[in-house]
């Protein structure tokens, strides 16, 4: 009996010891797990890829894509309003061309400035500021009393559009690598929407209320977007480069929650970078060749795009087309023995031709996506530029009005695709510390092309159609050859954080 009691007491004592040891072991396991999690680290790139694509990116795509609507409306407005201001102020060809040039001058000067501020102080601030600035000066343009005031105010609008264009960088930095080649080309839909909106506004408003009311109504999307930007956070990549890791983490947690996903295990760790927005990075040994070739590619992309837009507007307005079945509307000539005919307003058919050609900017988006994913960015740029050069020379061939519309449709498709690819490549190739500045320099060089294009498309065109179209074709061929020298292919590559 005593032995049984002794065994029972021993068993109870052993159980108490085990119960005391288990919490200690569990606590030790929890501590070990916490330490392991604490030791684990992840970067913004890893977080973006882990979160994947979801509801946040749809919201981002719609709101940021809509920035292209505003940019397109402000740029395409020049093609629609040119006949009206030429008539109102009796402008010479070079004076009409100077309007576009001053807009691109404002864009060029503020392009580098907006890129520097964006890398130093944040992408979101620059984009929102660009919207407010652009909308304000665009509204003032509608009250311009003289030609001088008009070109000054439009140059200020160009400065605002330069800030808006930084939205492409903000959008790119949130999109996972495998989705960039699909989503970024689709943004062309928004640019096309802006082009169509301004042409429809011109068709409906200009004949009745005049060009001033068309401009006033055109700022409506800018005002709406200013309020929608509260749903878009600052770039997490920018925040970590600025040393604000907590803000970056909160942004990533918010995105993960919206996408119903989780962040990688561990803690967000990335070093702050002191030389953000340093232009010397762009010309360092690692990036010099890329920068120089990209600057020329952007010059040609803008030169060809605005050359196609302004050439088509000029050919229609001045009836310079070689049309085999021209109607009476297209037989009124711009030049007479007595001098220039200042007032040849767009007819309904002209607006329809511009409208159809604008739709061409999205017609080949599936082809663009396929080229980007199969052949990569560099080869796609080369192919697009060679075909663009061929189509520019085709415009000089005598054809029917329907044939010209089809040709213009294809040309606008190709130049738009080319601009889209060079945008994507630039946003992917530069590191976060200089991405916005790199984009700013590139857009500034593109505006040099935009500044030159009007004097060829709107001044030289009156003298000779073939002489005006040849520079655009030659520039595209030279650029296509230069693309072989680009040292980096960015297809499927992660975005770099620093150089």
């Amino acid at each position: 009996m005593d032995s049984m009691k002794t065994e029972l007491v021993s068993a109870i004592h052993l159980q108490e010891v085990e119960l005391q040891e288990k919490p200690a072991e569990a606590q030790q396991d929890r501590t070990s797990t916490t330490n392991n999690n604490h030791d684990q680290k992840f970067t913004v790139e890893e977080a973006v890829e882990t979160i994947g694509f979801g509801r946040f990116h749809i919201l981002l795509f719609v709101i940021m894509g809509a920035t292209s609507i505003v940019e397109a409306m402000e740029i395409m407005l020049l093609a629609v309003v040119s006949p009206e201001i030429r008539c109102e102020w009796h402008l010479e060809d070079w004076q009409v061309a100077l309007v576009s040039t001053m807009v691109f001058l404002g864009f060029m000067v503020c392009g580098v400035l907006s890129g520097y501020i964006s890398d130093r102080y944040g992408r979101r601030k620059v984009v929102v500021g660009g919207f407010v600035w652009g909308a304000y000066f665009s509204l003032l343009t509608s009250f311009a009393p003289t030609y001088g005031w008009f070109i000054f105010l439009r140059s200020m609008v160009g400065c605002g559009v330069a800030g808006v264009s930084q939205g492409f960088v903000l959008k790119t930095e949130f999109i996972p690598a495998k989705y960039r080649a699909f989503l970024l080309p689709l943004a062309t839909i928004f640019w096309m929407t802006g082009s169509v909106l301004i042409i429809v506004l011109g068709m409906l408003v200009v004949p009745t209320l005049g060009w001033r009311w068309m401009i006033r109504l055109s700022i409506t999307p800018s005002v709406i977007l200013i309020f929608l930007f509260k749903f878009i956070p600052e770039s997490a990549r920018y925040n970590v480069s600025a040393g604000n890791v907590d803000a970056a983490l909160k942004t990533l947690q918010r995105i993960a929650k919206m996408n119903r996903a989780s962040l990688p295990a561990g803690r967000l760790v990335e070093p702050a970078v002191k030389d953000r927005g340093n232009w010397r990075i762009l010309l360092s040994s690692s990036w010099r060749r890329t920068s120089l070739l990209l600057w020329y590619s952007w010059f040609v992309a803008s030169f060809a795009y605005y050359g196609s837009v302004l050439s088509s507007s000029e050919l229609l307005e001045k009836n310079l087309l070689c049309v085999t079945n021209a109607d009476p509307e297209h037989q009124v000539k711009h030049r007479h023995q007595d001098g220039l005919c200042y007032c040849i307003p767009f007819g309904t058919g002209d607006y329809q031709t511009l409208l159809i050609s604008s739709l061409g900017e999205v017609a080949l988006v599936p082809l663009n996506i396929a080229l980007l994913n199969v052949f990569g960015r560099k080869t796609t740029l080369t192919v697009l530029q060679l075909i663009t050069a061929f189509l520019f020379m085709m415009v000089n061939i005598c054809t029917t009005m329907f044939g010209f519309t089809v040709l213009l449709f294809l040309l606008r498709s190709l130049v738009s695709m080319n601009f889209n690819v060079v945008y994507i490549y630039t946003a992917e190739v530069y590191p976060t510390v200089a991405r916005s500045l790199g984009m700013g320099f590139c857009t500034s060089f593109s505006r040099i092309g935009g500044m030159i294009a009007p004097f060829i498309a709107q001044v030289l065109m009156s003298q000779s159609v073939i002489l005006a179209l040849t520079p655009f074709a030659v520039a595209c061929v030279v650029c296509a050859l230069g693309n072989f020298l680009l040292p980096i292919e960015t297809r499927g590559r992660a975005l770099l954080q620093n150089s």
Side-chain angles (χ1 to χ4, degrees), residues 390-420:
F390 175 74
L391 289 175
F392 263 116
M393 299 313 297
M394 287 283 290
V395 172
N396 191 55
I397 296 176
C398 288
T399 181
T400 62
M401 197 65 197
F402 174 77
F404 173 74
T405 303
V406 171
L407 189 59
L408 195 58
F409 179 88
L410 293 173
L411 180 59
R412 286 287 293 277
S413 296
L414 267 295
V415 293
S416 176
M417 288 166 63
N418 180 57
F419 221 142
N420 197 257

Side-chain angles (χ1 to χ4, degrees), residues 162-445:
V164 172
S165 66
Q166 290 296 330
F168 193 88
V169 173
L170 179 59
K171 176 172 59 179
T172 302
E173 292 184 337
F174 278 120
I175 299 176
K178 67 178 181 179
Y179 293 99
R180 289 200 296 265
F182 293 94
L183 289 178
L184 297 180
L186 286 175
T188 309
I189 295 172
F190 294 98
W191 183 278
M192 181 273 297
T193 302
S195 300
V196 168
L197 278 175
I198 201 67
I199 293 170
V200 171
L201 268 177
M203 191 186 303
L204 298 178
V205 178
V206 171
T208 54
L209 299 175
W211 63 269
R212 296 178 185 272
W213 272 105
M214 181 192 71
I215 293 179
R216 290 163 194 162
L217 292 173
S218 70
I219 68 170
T220 306
S222 295
V223 176
I224 295 172
L225 277 169
I226 290 170
F227 294 100
L228 290 179
F229 247 84
K230 66 179 181 180
F231 298 108
I232 303 298
E234 179 57 84
S235 167
R237 294 179 192 270
Y238 162 76
N239 276 328
V240 294
S241 71
N244 197 352
V245 177
D246 290 339
L249 183 60
K250 288 178 182 177
T251 297
L252 293 170
Q253 288 171 339
R254 171 186 165 188
I255 297 171
K257 184 177 180 181
M258 284 187 68
N259 287 9
R260 297 176 181 174
S262 341
L263 290 176
R267 56 196 176 94
L268 176 62
V269 175
E270 283 199 32
V273 183
K274 294 182 179 179
D275 59 346
R276 298 189 321 278
N278 189 341
W279 63 270
R280 291 181 179 84
I281 294 175
L282 303 180
L283 292 176
S284 65
S285 58
S286 302
W287 300 103
R288 187 180 301 116
R289 185 166 64 165
T290 298
S291 294
L292 293 175
L293 289 171
L294 270 181
W295 292 346
Y296 181 67
S297 292
W298 274 81
F299 168 86
V300 173
S302 180
F303 184 60
Y305 181 84
Y306 296 112
S308 70
V309 171
L310 297 174
S311 292
S312 59
S313 174
E314 202 73 3
L315 288 167
L316 290 169
E317 181 197 346
K318 295 181 179 177
N319 297 319
L320 298 171
L321 291 169
C322 182
V323 181
T324 57
N325 61 340
D327 52 29
E329 185 180 274
H330 291 99
Q331 290 175 355
V332 180
K333 296 303 177 183
H334 176 60
R335 290 185 177 273
H336 300 278
Q337 291 181 349
D338 299 333
L340 296 176
C341 177
Y342 289 103
C343 295
I344 310 179
F346 281 149
T348 304
D350 296 327
Y351 279 116
Q352 289 173 350
T353 300
L354 289 176
L355 198 60
I356 293 170
S357 67
S358 294
L359 294 174
E361 296 196 5
V362 298
L364 300 183
V365 166
L367 175 62
N368 197 6
I369 293 173
L371 288 171
L372 286 169
N373 283 284
V374 176
F375 298 106
R377 282 50 164 164
K378 291 166 55 178
T379 304
T380 300
L381 279 173
T382 300
V383 171
L384 293 177
Q385 286 158 353
L386 289 175
I387 300 175
T388 300
F390 175 74
L391 289 175
F392 263 116
M393 299 313 297
M394 287 283 290
V395 172
N396 191 55
I397 296 176
C398 288
T399 181
T400 62
M401 197 65 197
F402 174 77
F404 173 74
T405 303
V406 171
L407 189 59
L408 195 58
F409 179 88
L410 293 173
L411 180 59
R412 286 287 293 277
S413 296
L414 267 295
V415 293
S416 176
M417 288 166 63
N418 180 57
F419 221 142
N420 197 257
V421 176
V422 80
Y423 250 115
I424 293 170
Y425 183 83
T426 305
E428 289 179 336
V429 75
Y430 282 123
T432 299
V433 293
R435 185 169 295 121
S436 284
L437 186 62
M439 184 71 78
F441 266 94
C442 285
T443 54
S444 290
F445 274 92

Side-chain angles (χ1 to χ4, degrees), residues 39-98:
D39 291 338
Q40 285 184 291
K41 302 173 183 177
F42 65 89
T43 64
V44 174
E45 178 69 28
E46 291 167 345
V48 168
E49 296 297 331
T50 302
I51 293 170
F53 181 81
R55 289 188 296 176
F56 169 79
H57 294 92
I58 295 173
L59 181 69
L60 176 77
F61 179 74
V62 172
I63 295 178
M64 296 307 303
T67 62
S68 295
I69 294 178
V70 173
E71 193 174 349
M73 290 182 74
E74 293 295 352
I75 298 300
M76 283 299 297
L77 182 144
L78 302 173
V80 176
V81 84
S82 290
E84 303 302 320
I85 63 170
R86 186 197 300 270
C87 181
E88 180 167 331
W89 289 313
H90 285 202
L91 303 179
E92 300 283 349
D93 289 344
W94 70 268
Q95 291 175 304
V96 176
L98 187 61

